Amino acid sequence: MEISTSPSTLGVPFRDNNESQRQETSKNLEIAFVTEMLSFVGMKELSSEFGGGAGEEQFQSFLREQHARLIVDKGGLGLAEQFFNSMAEK
């Protein structure tokens, strides 16, 4: 049995010259970066009356990712463009 080593099989979409895949990958990289930045900033904990306890802690990562996605969708930090240009050069 032969194993396919095409870029899409390996999960490396930027090796393909498809511009839309490079744009999506660039955007996802910026979202991941902003999400990580938001995790270091920390989110304000809710008071004990409205705090979610362990459940809140588990789902904060999803909230951070959605905040990061909104930030990037509104213009972000400009990293996606830099990532895109860098992938296009290779």
Side-chain angles (χ1 to χ4, degrees):
M1 177 179 203
E2 187 175 317
I3 297 174
S4 174
T5 57
S6 69
S8 60
T9 304
L10 296 174
V12 188
F14 59 86
R15 286 190 181 164
D16 188 5
N17 285 331
N18 189 340
E19 187 173 326
S20 64
Q21 285 181 331
R22 285 196 316 262
Q23 286 177 337
E24 186 66 27
T25 301
S26 300
K27 182 179 174 181
N28 288 336
L29 283 169
E30 184 170 7
I31 289 170
F33 180 79
V34 174
T35 300
E36 204 54 36
M37 284 181 48
L38 291 174
S39 71
F40 285 107
V41 171
M43 302 186 86
K44 184 178 178 186
E45 293 184 19
L46 298 173
S47 66
S48 60
E49 295 88 33
F50 297 104
E56 180 181 9
E57 291 174 17
Q58 294 295 318
F59 287 99
Q60 277 185 350
S61 65
F62 295 116
L63 182 59
R64 280 192 301 268
E65 183 179 347
Q66 290 305 311
H67 283 160
R69 191 171 298 279
L70 289 171
I71 290 169
V72 171
D73 286 344
K74 296 292 183 182
L77 306 174
L79 294 175
E81 183 179 351
Q82 296 297 322
F83 293 142
F84 179 82
N85 292 336
S86 176
M87 284 186 250
E89 292 174 3
K90 303 270 176 191

